[in-house]
Amino acid sequence: MQHTTIQEQAVDWAIRLHDGDLTAAERQALDEWVSENPEHAAALERARRLLGDTGSLLVADPGFTRRQLRRGRTGGIPTVTILLASLIGGGLFVSLDGLIWLKADVTSAASETPVITLTDGSRVHLNGKSAIAEHFSAGERRIELLKGEAYFDVTEDVDRPFIVQAGGGEVKVTGTAFDVNLVDGGTEVAVTQHGVVVTGRDEMQSVRVEAGEAVFYDTAGAIGSVETLPADLAAPWRSGRLVFERQRLASVAAQIFRHIPGRVVVARPSIANKRISGSFDLSNPADALASFGEVFNVRIVRAGDLLTIIY
């Protein structure tokens, strides 16, 4: 009997054990299967140990689990092991997102891009899976970008500056339009009208960014150089496109998943850190994801709306 067949049978038994008590006939069949070969008992123990507390998630789609086992190994990493490890680790990420949603005043779900009018008349266009908190006072208009990306069209008020706090820095304006994007490793700011002042955590470091320009600062607040940005590349998501140049593959995947339910995990660092450039149509996110896999020669498996693994 081939090793892959033993794996498949072991997972099948593990799922059935997890799903409830076996009948007497099923219990006898399991006992006979285990006693046939020492490898059977070891495979069952591995499958049950891997399922663990994540079993309920995989039982919801046992066919997916079995199909991943049939694929065997890719690059030396068992796909099902990646899946299970990601699900286990996902508990932490879910709890962290939970804190964000509790803190937020406005949120958007996957593929939602709502436009919100603030109390001062300014408008905020949220990308998918994004969240903001509003902190307005008599002296300032402060918005905290907690997650994702937002485009701000700010009503002018010279007496009350408008400040967007995001990642390791903040953007200060009196009245203008600009995009703020929380990406892997930092924050991107792109200006479409007038100008803004970007300040890192160290208030001694700040730069002015004019219309048609963009700047990136990292999570520590260190600000990079100001770069010229073509008008059509400032917040292209508002027109249904994702445009990127020499970005990490993991960061681009995360931005695609602002329009697709569930989480994405890039399984191997060598793939996650690959620098890529391109453009995708986000009007059909599923097709964009499929094209992404083909163009950049990566394999993609999905567990419904729960999890997607790129490897």
Side-chain angles (χ1 to χ4, degrees), residues 48-298:
R48 297 191 70 180
R49 188 167 61 247
L50 282 173
L51 285 174
D53 292 336
T54 68
S56 58
L57 298 173
L58 295 179
V59 169
D61 191 356
F64 172 82
T65 306
R66 297 184 186 104
R67 287 195 298 275
Q68 300 323 303
L69 281 175
R70 292 190 184 100
R71 298 177 77 99
R73 293 176 175 265
T74 300
I77 304 175
T79 304
V80 72
T81 302
I82 298 170
L83 171 65
L84 292 165
S86 301
L87 290 172
I88 293 168
L92 174 61
F93 295 128
V94 168
S95 66
L96 290 175
D97 275 359
L99 295 176
I100 288 175
W101 302 136
L102 287 174
K103 188 176 180 181
D105 292 312
V106 182
T107 64
S108 60
S111 77
E112 289 184 348
T113 58
V115 178
I116 303 98
T117 301
L118 303 177
T119 54
D120 69 330
S122 298
R123 290 160 62 87
V124 183
H125 190 178
L126 285 183
N127 203 343
K129 294 184 181 178
S130 299
I132 60 171
E134 180 181 333
H135 309 286
F136 278 23
S137 67
E140 68 177 22
R141 300 168 289 169
R142 181 175 291 271
I143 293 290
E144 187 177 2
L145 180 60
L146 301 167
K147 182 180 177 68
E149 183 173 13
Y151 181 84
F152 299 88
D153 189 351
V154 180
T155 300
E156 185 173 3
D157 185 343
V158 295
D159 296 322
R160 279 207 308 167
F162 191 99
I163 300 169
V164 177
Q165 180 181 333
E170 62 181 36
V171 184
K172 185 175 182 179
V173 305
T174 54
T176 187
F178 60 99
D179 185 80
V180 183
N181 187 14
L182 289 170
V183 296
D184 180 57
T187 306
E188 296 175 342
V189 179
V191 182
T192 58
Q193 294 178 20
H194 306 304
V196 307
V197 175
V198 177
T199 304
R201 291 191 193 278
D202 179 359
E203 294 184 1
M204 297 298 292
Q205 185 185 20
S206 65
V207 298
R208 182 166 179 85
V209 186
E210 303 291 347
E213 295 180 336
V215 72
F216 173 86
Y217 59 84
D218 64 22
T219 53
I223 302 176
S225 58
V226 176
E227 299 180 357
T228 301
L229 187 69
D232 58 347
L233 292 186
W237 62 272
R238 299 180 69 226
S239 301
R241 296 205 68 81
L242 175 62
V243 182
F244 48 95
E245 183 176 353
R246 291 198 53 75
Q247 289 191 25
R248 290 177 70 247
L249 185 145
S251 178
V252 175
Q255 291 178 72
I256 291 176
F257 266 78
R258 289 174 180 168
H259 301 266
I260 299 175
R263 294 193 169 276
V264 60
V265 174
V266 183
R268 289 186 286 172
S270 60
I271 293 177
N273 294 325
K274 183 178 180 181
R275 296 284 174 175
I276 58 177
S277 300
S279 172
F280 288 101
D281 183 356
L282 293 174
S283 61
N284 190 326
D287 284 352
L289 181 63
S291 298
F292 178 83
E294 293 173 4
V295 170
F296 298 111
N297 194 30
V298 294

